[in-house]
Amino acid sequence: MTKKTYIIAEAGVNHNGKLDLALKLCDAAKESAVDAIKFQTWKTELIISKNTEMAEYQKKNLQIEESQYDMLKKLELSYNDFKVIKKYCDDIGIQFLSTADEPESLDFLCDLGMPFIKLGSGDINNVPFLRYTASKGLPIILSTGMSNMKDVSFAYDILKEAGVSDISILHCTTNYPCPMNEVNLKAMLTIKEALKCKIGYSDHTLGVEVPVAAVALGAEIIEKHFTLDKKMEGPDHSASLEPEELKDMVLKIRNIEQALGNGVKEPNESEKNISKVVLKVILAKTNIKKGEKLTEKNLIIKRAEQGLSAVYWDLIVGTEAKHDYKIDEPIRI
């Protein structure tokens, strides 16, 4: 049975603080056949001080001068908005998810009904929030951008010690867009080897090849930013997939899942039929009389519909023919 990768379409803040746009993103995610759509839920005054500058990628993408606080305040959706979004997701049949950035929003999301909690990279060092998240008793998916293996292990241990048994770790590079030479996809395997946990990849590269490659390497969860239009104003649009690209990514991942197979090296049914006329057999190279010694001079290996497999060559050469053979007739034991 094909192992199915859990694919999360990361809407993030690409709704630009507008409920109607958020609902359109839900429609696009559903049509793309992902497993879930994820947003971000926060109260701006609870997560950032007012004079904090924007990150460099945010400055570059927005091309405006304002604080990170002001930027996030404009992108903030209300709890009531998220209630509407959650109900809409239920109605159209797609899993609603959202990352909480502080305890109040986490409480709200858990009350709203979440199958698991997704923690962003920005909270990998937030010890009290990690412990508070663990207290909810839900499985946790943790992104690990801006961290080294020691940081990841520390956060993982905090969650484990607080009683969480189901923890998935997503390798991530926090840069929008992430250049290929900063992906370091093999780090995902390092995490798996070190923590013996379920792994995945949260992608910020342009295009779809890296998340597809991550699945080929063993990612069980893929998270990818998407938008309705890359040209829209906002910090993450330019590094996101548009709906048709998201569909393409899902299709490629599902194809790779099938291609990975079960790991058992054996011919499949179609190969068994083909092998009958492709794998070589032992034939008479010349006319051979019964009792004549079979040698490399009177035997030949060719493709034929019948005959003794060429794997028995060493066993046949040097023995006496038990039958008369005409040229190209299969050798029999």
Side-chain angles (χ1 to χ4, degrees):
M1 183 177 178
T2 302
K3 191 169 186 179
K4 191 169 183 286
T5 310
Y6 192 79
I7 304 176
I8 302 171
E10 171 67 81
V13 298
N14 283 343
H15 48 70
N16 287 355
K18 298 175 182 177
L19 177 58
D20 62 336
L21 187 53
L23 298 180
K24 289 178 182 178
L25 285 164
C26 295
D27 287 330
K30 171 65 178 177
E31 190 174 338
S32 299
V34 297
D35 296 290
I37 182 170
K38 191 181 78 67
F39 296 89
Q40 295 169 18
T41 307
W42 73 88
K43 289 291 186 69
T44 306
E45 61 273 14
L46 298 179
I47 65 167
I48 191 165
S49 60
K50 290 192 174 183
N51 296 321
T52 303
E53 289 188 11
M54 288 191 291
E56 287 304 314
Y57 81 87
Q58 293 168 338
K59 293 177 182 178
K60 182 179 178 181
N61 292 344
L62 289 173
Q63 294 292 306
I64 58 174
E65 289 292 331
E66 66 178 1
S67 68
Q68 193 174 155
Y69 179 97
D70 290 336
M71 176 194 71
L72 290 176
K73 195 65 181 176
K74 289 188 293 187
L75 297 172
E76 182 184 308
L77 290 174
S78 70
Y79 289 164
N80 189 62
D81 288 335
F82 281 113
K83 289 178 181 178
V84 173
I85 296 169
K86 169 64 164 61
K87 183 180 184 306
Y88 190 72
C89 286
D90 291 344
D91 290 343
I92 65 174
I94 188 170
Q95 179 63 60
F96 165 84
L97 301 172
S98 192
T99 293
D101 290 311
E102 29 77 16
E104 181 184 306
S105 292
L106 180 62
D107 289 343
F108 164 75
L109 290 172
C110 288
D111 289 343
L112 200 57
M114 301 278 282
F116 54 81
I117 297 170
K118 172 61 172 58
L119 285 171
S121 298
D123 284 309
I124 196 166
N125 67 343
N126 190 344
V127 174
F129 190 54
L130 290 172
R131 289 183 177 138
Y132 188 70
T133 301
S135 73
K136 297 297 182 179
L138 292 171
I140 291 175
I141 299 176
L142 173 66
S143 282
T144 58
M146 305 171 291
S147 61
N148 57 33
M149 194 61 231
K150 183 178 179 181
D151 300 326
V152 177
S153 297
F154 179 79
Y156 181 82
D157 289 343
I158 289 287
L159 295 172
K160 277 285 187 182
E161 291 165 5
V164 185
S165 59
D166 189 345
I167 304 171
S168 301
I169 303 293
L170 305 189
H171 173 54
C172 175
T173 303
T174 305
N175 194 0
Y176 303 77
C178 172
M180 291 298 175
N181 63 356
E182 291 185 0
V183 171
N184 191 19
L185 203 51
K186 289 182 179 179
M188 181 180 71
L189 303 180
T190 301
I191 294 170
K192 183 176 184 177
E193 176 64 25
L195 302 180
K196 310 296 189 237
C197 64
K198 185 186 295 185
I199 56 166
Y201 176 61
S202 180
D203 185 49
H204 299 139
T205 64
L206 299 176
V208 303
E209 61 263 51
V210 178
V212 173
V215 172
L217 283 177
E220 297 181 57
I221 302 167
I222 290 294
E223 182 178 78
K224 180 71 173 179
H225 279 260
F226 86 109
T227 179
L228 296 182
D229 186 346
K230 292 179 183 180
K231 296 178 181 178
M232 293 178 70
E233 182 181 334
D236 297 341
H237 292 287
S238 62
S240 302
L241 297 180
E242 291 182 346
E244 288 304 312
E245 294 173 304
L246 185 62
K247 288 180 187 178
D248 183 51
M249 184 192 79
V250 173
L251 177 62
K252 284 182 167 61
I253 286 174
R254 298 305 180 215
N255 285 342
I256 288 297
E257 288 170 343
Q258 293 185 67
L260 287 171
N262 60 14
V264 177
K265 179 56 183 172
E266 60 181 357
N268 57 45
E269 290 305 313
S270 61
E271 285 183 305
K272 288 176 184 177
N273 291 326
I274 295 170
S275 70
K276 295 174 183 177
V277 293
V278 172
L279 292 181
K280 306 296 197 306
V281 296
I282 305 171
L283 306 177
K285 185 176 182 180
T286 63
N287 292 326
I288 301 171
K289 294 292 185 181
K290 182 179 179 180
E292 186 179 340
K293 189 175 182 179
L294 299 174
T295 69
E296 294 182 1
K297 291 184 178 180
N298 59 16
L299 296 177
I300 193 168
I301 293 174
K302 291 183 179 182
R303 290 183 182 183
E305 291 188 12
Q306 293 181 337
L308 190 65
S309 171
V311 74
Y312 297 110
W313 177 262
D314 290 342
L315 297 177
I316 295 299
V317 172
T319 64
E320 291 183 355
K322 296 181 179 180
H323 311 275
D324 290 338
Y325 296 104
K326 294 180 180 179
I327 292 174
D328 269 357
E329 188 175 344
I331 300 299
R332 307 189 298 278
I333 295 176

